[in-house]
Amino acid sequence: MTLHKHAFRLAAFPFLFSLLAALSACGGSGSGDTTGSTVPATGATVINWFVGATNVATTVKAGATVQWKSTDGMAHTVTSSSSPSAFAELDVAGGGLSSPFVVNTPGTFPYFCAIHGARVMNGTLTVTP
């Protein structure tokens, strides 16, 4: 190996490391558990979740299981807009589903994606008795 080739490889290493770090950060993350599964839980109500999903309104009965599905292949979160939070933040893997979430408390619960922002992705989960 010549000195020129060796110097090029050493100079390229920081660039490649930076590129890898940037790409791995693109998905973002939340604090909830993620199964990454593409098969919903038995009987779950599946809510499609993607960049541009605004005013997503879903109504379920108390005791129902809900999952959010990334339909655009990107990672997302489902983050409560309530203060205090109505539920723990859920991660939605790119192309996958969030962990199953059982809703027991009746009410109306707004949520958004913490990665892409409330103006770009938001919805309301209404739970009836």
Side-chain angles (χ1 to χ4, degrees):
M1 175 184 305
T2 65
L3 183 58
H4 177 71
K5 286 182 183 176
H6 184 68
F8 175 77
R9 286 185 183 166
L10 287 175
F13 181 75
F15 169 76
L16 293 175
F17 181 77
S18 297
L19 179 62
L20 180 62
L23 290 175
S24 66
C26 285
S29 68
S31 60
D33 183 29
T34 302
T35 62
S37 173
T38 57
V39 178
T42 302
T45 297
V46 176
I47 301 169
N48 290 331
W49 201 219
F50 53 92
V51 171
T54 59
N55 301 315
V56 176
T58 306
T59 301
V60 297
K61 291 188 179 228
T65 300
V66 178
Q67 286 181 277
W68 284 263
K69 180 179 182 178
S70 168
T71 58
D72 61 6
M74 298 174 69
H76 301 291
T77 70
V78 180
T79 306
S80 173
S81 294
S82 303
S83 183
S85 286
F87 53 86
E89 183 172 84
L90 299 170
D91 288 328
V92 184
L97 292 155
S98 69
S99 294
F101 176 61
V102 178
V103 292
N104 292 312
T105 307
T108 300
F109 308 102
Y111 60 88
F112 66 99
C113 175
I115 297 169
H116 298 102
R119 287 193 286 174
V120 178
M121 296 178 69
N122 63 72
T124 304
L125 179 63
T126 302
V127 182
T128 60

